[in-house]
Amino acid sequence: MTTPNASVPPVDVISAGIKSVPPGTQHCVMITPMADGRFDVVITEIRPNSAVPTYRQFVTVTAGAGAVSIVKIAPPA
């Protein structure tokens, strides 16, 4: 899903984040296109213990060869 030189966290960091989400967690994702071509992505988790963490990221993508790939994931700036 990413380009070969994408500016994203290392695989082990992403994997650890995924593994930290408890089973039974529900997700709500809101994606808003931005004027500069990026996407404002807000992820809210509803965890079984009633915790509701929210994460916000700006995602840059590129389209080509019939596919869309992630170029960069960064905190809002």
Side-chain angles (χ1 to χ4, degrees):
M1 303 278 318
T2 63
T3 59
N5 58 348
S7 178
V8 297
V11 171
D12 58 331
V13 172
I14 294 172
S15 181
I18 293 169
K19 289 177 183 176
S20 74
V21 178
T25 297
Q26 297 178 4
H27 299 83
C28 178
V29 180
M30 182 174 64
I31 303 171
T32 305
M34 299 171 64
D36 63 4
R38 296 180 296 169
F39 293 88
D40 184 354
V41 179
V42 178
I43 302 166
T44 302
E45 298 177 350
I46 300 98
R47 296 186 173 199
N49 67 357
S50 299
V52 184
T54 298
Y55 310 95
R56 186 173 180 205
Q57 305 168 326
F58 286 173
V59 179
T60 306
V61 299
T62 187
V68 175
S69 299
I70 295 172
V71 175
K72 182 176 182 180
I73 300 174

